[in-house]
Amino acid sequence: MKKIYLLVLIFSFSITALKAQEEKEVEKVIATLFEGMKAKDGEKVQKLFHPDASMQTVIAEENGATLGSNSVSDFITRISTVAEGTVLDERILEYHIKIDGHMASAWTPYEFYVSDSFSHCGVNSFQMIKTSDGWKITYVIDTRRKEGC
């Protein structure tokens, strides 16, 4: 009986360790995205996205919200051509990651700074898949606000 208990304990520990490793890999993709954005490195950022990825923003309005859409290529062009001396610095406050097999979801509250000036805050919601090349971003939607941060 002790052997069975020990085997179950070892198996449970192994599963937990593997899950934690997968979560760290997803977190690394997101961190690398914002490192690349800050460095204006479009090539680094492009590698993180699945070719069919899309991006959207929730645009808060007085009586509800609308949805703004953006292509990954437009996003990369914008971050790569930011004016000299300007730094886009998105600071992730925490990661909430859920994984099921080859699919991951990450909820990441953030604060956004242009150079050293606070711009806005909100939440990113990332959807990812694990490909033969590792985790790739398939979809991002975010919120943006200047108050209640």
Side-chain angles (χ1 to χ4, degrees), residues 68-110:
S69 296
N70 188 29
S71 71
V72 173
S73 62
D74 286 345
F75 171 70
I76 290 170
T77 298
R78 278 199 328 271
I79 65 167
S80 299
T81 58
V82 170
E84 185 71 31
T86 301
V87 177
L88 303 178
D89 185 11
E90 186 152 337
R91 301 173 187 176
I92 301 301
L93 304 175
E94 58 186 320
Y95 292 85
H96 303 278
I97 298 170
K98 300 289 183 188
I99 298 174
D100 183 37
H102 289 86
M103 183 179 77
S105 179
W107 181 269
T108 61
Y110 71 90

Side-chain angles (χ1 to χ4, degrees), residues 29-145:
V29 170
I30 296 167
T32 302
L33 169 65
F34 295 118
E35 290 166 9
M37 186 173 80
K38 190 174 183 180
K40 304 176 191 174
D41 187 343
E43 187 175 320
K44 182 177 193 175
V45 170
Q46 179 69 52
K47 292 177 183 178
L48 303 170
F49 284 90
H50 186 276
D52 296 325
S54 62
M55 304 177 82
Q56 294 186 305
T57 297
V58 175
I59 302 167
E61 297 176 345
E62 194 171 307
N63 295 322
T66 58
L67 196 58
S69 296
N70 188 29
S71 71
V72 173
S73 62
D74 286 345
F75 171 70
I76 290 170
T77 298
R78 278 199 328 271
I79 65 167
S80 299
T81 58
V82 170
E84 185 71 31
T86 301
V87 177
L88 303 178
D89 185 11
E90 186 152 337
R91 301 173 187 176
I92 301 301
L93 304 175
E94 58 186 320
Y95 292 85
H96 303 278
I97 298 170
K98 300 289 183 188
I99 298 174
D100 183 37
H102 289 86
M103 183 179 77
S105 179
W107 181 269
T108 61
Y110 71 90
E111 293 177 342
F112 190 83
Y113 292 81
V114 177
S115 298
D116 290 325
S117 298
F118 175 79
S119 173
H120 61 275
C121 67
V123 172
N124 300 308
S125 175
F126 291 91
Q127 300 302 309
M128 303 170 114
I129 63 168
K130 189 169 188 181
T131 69
S132 59
D133 295 325
W135 288 101
K136 299 292 180 185
I137 301 167
T138 59
Y139 180 65
V140 182
I141 188 168
D142 65 56
T143 62
R144 300 174 190 180
R145 64 184 176 281

